[in-house]
Amino acid sequence: MVVYNLVNNGIGKVVLTYSGELIRCGHKVTVLVGGPCEPEKVDEAVACGITVSQLPDKKSDTLGYFKALRKALDEGRFDVCHVHGNSGMIFPELVVANRSRVVAVACHCHNTGCEHPVLHRVLRRFVPGLCDCMFACSDEAGKWLFGDADYSVVPNSFELGKFAFDPQSRHELREAYGIGGGAYVLGNVARLNPEKNHAFLIKVFEAFHAEHPDSILMIAGGGPGEKDVRALVEASPANDSIMLLGNVKDPAKLYSAMDCFVFPSIHEGLGIVLVEAQLAGLECFVSSDVPKSACISDGFHAISLAETAKGWAGKIAATALRTYDRSKCSFHAGSLEAFDIRSSYRLLEGAYEAALARKGGRE
């Protein structure tokens, strides 16, 4: 697996989840990282039996990074090199992988936007010709990178049961965070990056809080934008009711402490936290730019980002401020199977095996 960073974000979750399942099924996995590594994610990987190799930083030592990547792929004699990214900017990694001793090359798209859209448009046309198999977390992400080429949607899957609503966890967490029994908690779990749109999220909460002063906004996540988000919170008239939790190692129980989930992301490959939140029985208020493949229940409410913050707040209040039994949330027929790691893993392994067969098998 080749990734730019190994941090607490969507790609990191996918890489470690599928790598852990590969190992459980008898394979060996090495993750090659060309950027930041968070110690807790490295520890999580090692605990699963995954080898993590830190390469020179791709941004500050680009030549050193690609030399080290080529050397690692040659010496590893890997059956498959699976390159993860968000855009055509992974073109150089695919070139290096094709020139190495790797047997088959896979490419995996995790988003529908990037920081360098012009370079993406130039490079994306070359990507399919460098891949033996292509994956995307959603149809939208697949079309973004691969166009009309033959790609497979491999969902961001996980253990489904761990996210079920837990009244005991709700009580314990709200007590630990000092949240009163009558408080209404709007939640968000996301990397603190600009595309997650926390500035707008805070404005939505300010409008909601003005009408419902017992409400609280709970934001879980860390990242490069943390300083900016913290400054926005400190300047907010509702700052005393906004909680910045930082990175939460395992947010599964955190969803139980929330009353609804607000996710005004500017662009997403899928938005796996939305699936997690729906599994916990939460009403989710989501940017209409988020792929609909994340919708697994009637609790998924898409709202345009052209709508004002006050408009978002009004729609949240109209739908979410009601009493309902979260433990009896119903899901759309057939919607959960794709997110079950035990079933979706077979798609990945089958694509690997087919690619290796086309290339004449393993060395």
Side-chain angles (χ1 to χ4, degrees), residues 284-362:
C284 296
F285 301 90
V286 186
S287 159
S288 56
D289 295 316
V290 170
K292 299 302 181 291
S293 47
C295 175
I296 62 171
S297 74
D298 291 337
F300 185 102
H301 309 282
I303 309 173
S304 171
L305 287 176
E307 182 74 75
T308 65
K310 187 174 182 179
W312 271 66
K315 290 182 178 180
I316 292 170
T319 304
L321 292 175
R322 59 183 176 85
T323 302
Y324 65 101
D325 188 346
R326 286 172 58 177
S327 65
K328 296 181 179 179
C329 180
S330 60
F331 301 99
H332 297 161
S335 65
L336 295 184
E337 184 178 358
F339 297 102
D340 184 346
I341 186 61
R342 294 292 188 265
S343 61
S344 58
Y345 163 77
R346 292 193 289 271
L347 298 173
L348 185 73
E349 187 180 50
Y352 283 169
E353 295 291 354
L356 289 170
R358 291 194 300 271
K359 299 296 288 281
R362 298 184 174 92

Side-chain angles (χ1 to χ4, degrees), residues 91 94 98 123-132 134 146 149:
F91 168 78
L94 296 174
N98 274 274
L123 296 174
R124 61 174 287 198
R125 71 189 72 177
F126 303 109
V127 168
L130 295 169
C131 304
D132 297 300
M134 291 169 280
F146 307 121

Side-chain angles (χ1 to χ4, degrees), residues 1 17 77 81 86 113-114 125 139 170-172 187 211 214-215 228 261 270 275 289 307 316 335 347:
M1 302 284 184
T17 300
R77 300 175 68 90
C81 174
N86 295 326
C114 67
R125 71 189 72 177
D139 273 322
R170 177 182 175 84
H171 172 75
E172 291 173 355
E211 299 294 328
D214 288 338
S215 59
D228 294 335
F261 196 79
L270 176 66
V275 177
D289 295 316
E307 182 74 75
I316 292 170
S335 65
L347 298 173

Side-chain angles (χ1 to χ4, degrees), residues 1-2 19 22 27-32 69 72-74 76-84 94 97-98 100-108 130-135 348-359 361-363:
M1 302 284 184
V2 177
S19 295
L22 280 162
H27 303 288
K28 295 180 180 179
V29 180
T30 296
V31 178
L32 304 175
L69 177 61
L73 294 178
D74 281 339
R77 300 175 68 90
F78 299 103
D79 295 319
V80 178
C81 174
H82 189 147
V83 182
H84 297 262
L94 296 174
N98 274 274
S100 73
R101 299 182 70 178
V102 165
V103 180
V105 178
C107 179
H108 201 142
L130 295 169
C131 304
D132 297 300
C133 46
M134 291 169 280
F135 305 117
L348 185 73
E349 187 180 50
Y352 283 169
E353 295 291 354
L356 289 170
R358 291 194 300 271
K359 299 296 288 281
R362 298 184 174 92
E363 288 189 331

